Amino acid sequence: MAFLILAIETSCDDTSVAILCDKVILANVVSSQLDHSQYGGVVPELASRKHLVNLQIVLEQALYQAQISLIDIDAIAFTQGPGLLGSLLVGINYAKGLSIALQKPLIAVNHMEAHILAHWIDYTPELPFLCLTVSGGHTCLTLVQKNPLNHQVIGRTLDDAAGEAFDKIAKLLGLPYPGGPFIDKYAQQGQPIYNFPKPQIPNYDFSFSGFKTYIKNFVNNFSAEQVQQELPNLCCSIQNAIVNILIDKFFKAIQDLKPKSVGIAGGVSANSTLRKKVQELGNTLQIPTYIPKFEYCTDNAAMIGITGYYKLLSQNFGDLGTVPYAR
Ligand code: KG4
Ligand code: ZN
């Protein structure tokens, strides 16, 4: 018997609802809040208020695309955290309301685990699978071992996340929020002519705070006109430096832990240089390498739904007492 799963994602500034029939995505609607751009970053209270307005509209679009009605749903998966507390509360309470009304079980999903499980939408990576998850809030290396839900985090950022570094550096360069895609765009027109020192962090951990301060001081030597003129070369050099920091640790972890397959996940995995270099690394090491489709890189409810599907199979349910975790 096939299960119909409704999935809700509201951890940050994207309101998303997906509908899955087992592993098949029938709908994955994402409404990105553009309002935050003018403030140079996500304003938490504004984000939760927008989720309240958007959620019903996005749900109706998803039901329409999937050509089903709410009463057909077998389970409701939702993001429990980590994320912005107010944003999480909107999605969690919406899911609880649906659960009461439809008398269907709840499935609580960890957002970071879901970024990794996004690979299981289209593929079945061989285990152990080593995943480099790079988003606006997190940067970590995770080993998925005995089954898709068995995760061991082996390294993480000690301060800023990779996406945060992209966004904050983009702001220094006068680019809009979120800056990662803009740096990526300008980088493609430039050359990596500037060299920056690499943070020396032990084990599989990362750090981007010192790197960001270095770039801030470096850019301060340029006039506003020079920054404009040099934008492609600056973006290309910065992007290469961030990607090299990520690739070095990824390479070290692959060499040491010898996983059967590897992949990248999270918003920064949409980055063109990272995708290219990870694929090259996989080819060189002759290891199966999984790069997610663009729609499954940044926040989306399909990844919550696929995680919900595996949790449903293992009878791992949430309940009306489930509370969010912000970190
Ligand atoms: O996974 P995500 O949508 O949200 C979080 O869970 O944080 O990731 C958002 C992050 C932002 O920092 C954004 O700038 C970054 O992903 N991002 C990129 C690219 N596309 C999105 N960073 C670099 N290059 C890109 N092409
Ligand atoms: Zn995310």
Side-chain angles (χ1 to χ4, degrees), residues 45-309:
E45 185 180 333
L46 192 59
S48 11
R49 285 169 182 265
K50 278 278 161 184
H51 286 308
L52 273 175
V53 175
N54 291 346
L55 207 37
Q56 182 67 20
I57 301 164
V58 172
L59 171 70
E60 279 167 17
Q61 284 175 357
L63 289 170
Y64 179 75
Q65 275 184 25
Q67 287 294 295
I68 61 157
S69 66
L70 264 181
I71 49 164
D72 301 326
I73 294 293
D74 295 304
I76 302 140
F78 64 92
T79 305
Q80 184 180 9
L84 300 173
L85 190 60
S87 292
L88 290 168
L89 281 168
V90 175
I92 292 174
N93 284 321
Y94 200 91
K96 286 181 181 178
L98 285 176
S99 165
I100 294 169
L102 301 170
Q103 287 293 295
K104 296 294 174 188
L106 286 164
I107 306 171
V109 171
N110 177 300
H111 180 88
M112 296 312 294
E113 289 183 4
H115 269 303
I116 299 173
L117 266 286
H119 287 286
W120 272 261
I121 294 173
D122 290 322
Y123 316 106
T124 308
E126 303 80 339
L127 301 179
F129 169 69
L130 181 72
C131 192
L132 171 68
T133 313
V134 272
S135 72
H138 293 81
T139 302
C140 49
L141 275 166
T142 306
L143 201 57
V144 183
Q145 304 201 68
K146 298 185 184 88
N147 63 63
L149 295 174
N150 182 242
H151 294 197
Q152 186 196 355
V153 177
I154 58 158
R156 50 166 58 86
T157 181
L158 304 177
D159 38 59
D160 290 0
E164 198 178 352
F166 267 108
D167 295 342
K168 286 180 177 168
I169 290 170
K171 199 171 174 184
L172 293 173
L173 298 173
L175 297 170
Y177 177 87
F182 289 96
I183 292 193
D184 198 357
K185 187 179 122 203
Y186 284 104
Q188 288 171 37
Q189 301 152 26
Q191 294 297 323
I193 60 170
Y194 301 109
N195 284 316
F196 308 116
K198 251 185 211 161
Q200 301 298 317
I201 309 296
N203 305 321
Y204 307 119
D205 289 332
F206 303 88
S207 165
F208 290 100
S209 167
F211 178 81
K212 181 192 64 194
T213 308
Y214 187 93
I215 301 290
K216 184 170 185 249
N217 294 332
F218 186 84
V219 171
N220 279 345
N221 294 319
F222 289 67
S223 67
E225 295 80 56
Q226 284 171 326
V227 170
Q228 273 309 306
Q229 268 171 13
E230 273 303 281
L231 204 51
N233 290 336
L234 281 168
C235 287
C236 186
S237 308
I238 291 163
Q239 177 158 301
N240 264 275
I242 295 178
V243 169
N244 286 341
I245 294 168
L246 296 169
I247 291 280
D248 277 6
K249 291 288 171 142
F250 200 31
F251 176 70
K252 177 177 158 51
I254 299 171
Q255 293 286 76
D256 293 351
L257 304 171
K258 304 195 174 12
K260 289 236 172 71
S261 64
V262 299
I264 49 174
V268 181
S269 64
N271 184 268
S272 58
T273 303
L274 181 64
R275 294 169 86 86
K276 187 167 146 260
K277 290 204 174 182
V278 165
Q279 192 56 65
E280 283 169 4
L281 182 69
N283 294 347
T284 307
L285 299 177
Q286 296 197 328
I287 185 163
T289 302
Y290 296 92
I291 314 257
K293 282 185 192 153
F294 284 109
E295 66 254 47
Y296 302 140
C297 290
T298 43
D299 290 348
N300 66 89
M303 68 184 196
I304 305 301
I306 191 78
T307 313
Y309 169 72

Side-chain angles (χ1 to χ4, degrees), residues 5-22:
I5 299 168
L6 177 77
I8 298 171
E9 155 63 29
T10 62
S11 66
C12 191
D13 57 340
D14 293 308
T15 314
S16 182
V17 173
I19 294 164
L20 285 78
C21 177
D22 285 348

